[in-house]
Amino acid sequence: DAKTTQPTSMDCAEGRAANLPCNHSTISGNEYVYWYRQIHSQGPQYIIHGLKNNETNEMASLIITEDRKSSTLILPHATLRDTAVYYCIVRPVYNQGGKLIFGQGTELSVKP
Amino acid sequence: KAGVTQTPRYLIKTRGQQVTLSCSPISGHRSVSWYQQTPGQGLQFLFEYFSETQRNKGNFPGRFSGRQFSNSRSEMNVSTLELGDSALYLCASSYNPGDTEAFFGQGTRLTVV
């Protein structure tokens, strides 16, 4: 079973920041938080991951609370092409396998 | 370089038949994982292959099987198809198991009638 809880859907205005929350209250010390997204009719795409520090890359920022029980993915200037289902996944640091356990995700709709 | 290639993109089969789906990973990638996506169950892990060996398997019946060839290409097979097997089957590849980023193909849409 997925170890994360996300809102089913969210809306965001184009050009504004999209803040997608994720609850992972049972996360253990040796688990990363990963984010993937799936645009309609495509395979999932990796966005970002983190352990306990905030992370930023060219796509997004990841803010992890100090107790690591929740996190927020931030798309700083959402565009229509960011409309997708966003998945928050917890994954062991020392996992030697490629298995990803997806939850139901958040369907983000970016509106003009 | 080319991404993960899955063939065919679309497939229609009849109940009771069997089907084979193919996945060509990104050049140099040796790890391949398979996922099933349905509206009801979402994305579910099927199995993972590395160096021609199955390393991990999800909770699916034995009708679902797979293999990996020496060139890292992978196939999955579903025998005795059921209506509930209708789904999008996705393949992901990475250099090694557990790499930070897995690269997904566009999937094969299987419809069982």
Side-chain angles (χ1 to χ4, degrees):
Chain A
D1 291 337
K3 298 174 63 175
T4 62
T5 304
Q6 300 176 251
T8 303
S9 63
M10 294 181 62
D11 289 341
C12 177
E14 188 178 20
R16 305 297 292 267
N19 296 281
L20 292 93
C22 179
N23 181 286
H24 33 79
S25 58
T26 61
I27 194 170
S28 62
N30 67 345
E31 289 182 315
Y32 278 106
V33 178
Y34 276 73
W35 284 83
Y36 275 75
R37 74 179 182 184
Q38 186 175 22
I39 296 170
H40 183 62
S41 298
Q42 296 184 22
Q45 175 192 25
Y46 165 83
I47 302 173
I48 199 168
H49 77 286
L51 184 60
K52 55 183 178 181
N53 297 319
N54 298 337
E55 303 288 345
T56 296
N57 63 19
E58 65 279 4
M59 289 183 68
S61 294
L62 174 60
I63 308 298
I64 303 174
T65 58
E66 192 168 341
D67 63 8
R68 304 209 322 121
K69 293 185 177 182
S70 65
S71 60
T72 301
L73 178 74
I74 301 172
L75 307 178
H77 305 286
T79 70
L80 299 179
R81 288 176 295 180
D82 292 322
T83 292
V85 178
Y86 288 77
Y87 296 98
C88 171
I89 300 166
V90 296
R91 189 182 185 199
V93 170
Y94 300 110
N95 180 16
Q96 295 301 307
K99 178 179 180 179
L100 295 170
I101 301 176
F102 291 86
Q104 294 304 308
T106 295
E107 187 167 5
L108 175 68
S109 296
V110 180
K111 301 181 184 299
Chain B
K1 56 185 176 182
V4 177
T5 304
Q6 293 189 243
T7 56
R9 290 292 311 280
Y10 302 92
L11 204 50
I12 300 176
K13 289 287 189 178
T14 304
R15 270 184 305 174
Q17 287 186 312
Q18 73 161 12
V19 67
T20 298
L21 311 181
S22 178
C23 172
S24 293
I26 291 172
S27 178
H29 285 191
R30 300 179 297 165
S31 178
V32 173
S33 297
W34 288 89
Y35 294 81
Q36 180 196 64
Q37 186 171 28
T38 60
Q41 299 298 316
L43 272 158
Q44 293 186 286
F45 172 79
L46 277 159
F47 25 64
E48 176 192 24
Y49 287 88
F50 177 72
S51 294
E52 302 177 65
T53 301
Q54 188 181 89
R55 287 177 47 91
N56 210 343
K57 189 176 191 305
N59 188 26
F60 280 82
R63 299 185 298 106
F64 292 80
S65 63
R67 59 177 175 170
Q68 187 180 36
F69 302 96
S70 59
N71 62 357
S72 295
R73 188 177 72 85
S74 178
E75 290 181 346
M76 67 162 283
N77 183 280
V78 188
S79 62
T80 319
L81 283 165
E82 302 177 358
L83 295 179
D85 297 332
S86 294
L88 179 66
Y89 290 88
L90 290 156
C91 164
S93 79
S94 59
Y95 283 107
N96 295 301
D99 276 358
T100 296
E101 183 173 357
F103 295 83
F104 283 79
Q106 290 193 288
T108 294
R109 173 75 63 184
L110 171 66
T111 302
V112 182
V113 297

